[in-house]
Each structure stands twice: as C-alpha cells, then as structure tokens.
Amino acid sequence: MPNVMIRKNDAGELLFYVAKKDMEETIASVETDTCECWGGEVELTDGSRWYIDPISPPPAFPTTLRFKRSED
C-alpha cells in the first residue's frame, strides 16, 4: 500500500503521484466524491485503478494517503 500524494493542478484536476514509482497521472474518476465523503475506487487516465476506504469528511488537497492497487 504505497503513500500517494494527491494535489490539484492549475486546471483544477486531481493529480495522483506515487514517489517510489515516479508515477504521476490525472485522476479520471472517483467512486465517491461528495461534500460528505471522498474515496472508494479511483480510476486514473492511464486506466489503472486504485482503492482507498472512503474518508469522511473529504481531505483537503494537497494530501498524502495510503492506497492499494485494485485487482482487475
């Protein structure tokens, strides 16, 4: 379960960065993204899927969270 840095870019999109893999991708979708809760399955623009238990209240970005890779 790697530590993932999530931050917003200038366009307001969320970026997903894994330092140990030097991987940065834009988040395409988040399973749960409301004002009460954020998380679940996260899909990146490269097609990979990651998972984090939903967080309530949603985190402020930038933040570092622990994700696990979803199995397809």
Side-chain angles (χ1 to χ4, degrees):
M1 289 184 23
N3 285 325
V4 176
M5 166 66 109
I6 299 179
R7 65 180 178 86
K8 289 187 179 185
N9 64 13
D10 293 337
E13 301 169 313
L14 290 176
L15 298 177
F16 187 97
Y17 178 70
V18 182
K20 288 190 175 190
K21 296 185 178 219
D22 195 28
M23 178 193 97
E24 184 173 68
E25 288 292 332
T26 302
I27 294 177
S29 66
V30 179
E31 183 178 358
T32 304
D33 188 4
T34 67
C35 58
E36 292 87 27
C37 193
W38 187 91
E41 188 171 76
V42 173
E43 184 174 358
L44 306 182
T45 53
D46 69 356
S48 64
R49 295 172 189 255
W50 296 75
Y51 182 82
I52 187 168
D53 288 330
I55 301 165
S56 183
F61 300 109
T63 190
T64 301
L65 302 166
R66 291 186 63 86
F67 279 78
K68 61 182 174 182
R69 188 124 191 189
S70 291
E71 296 178 19
D72 292 329

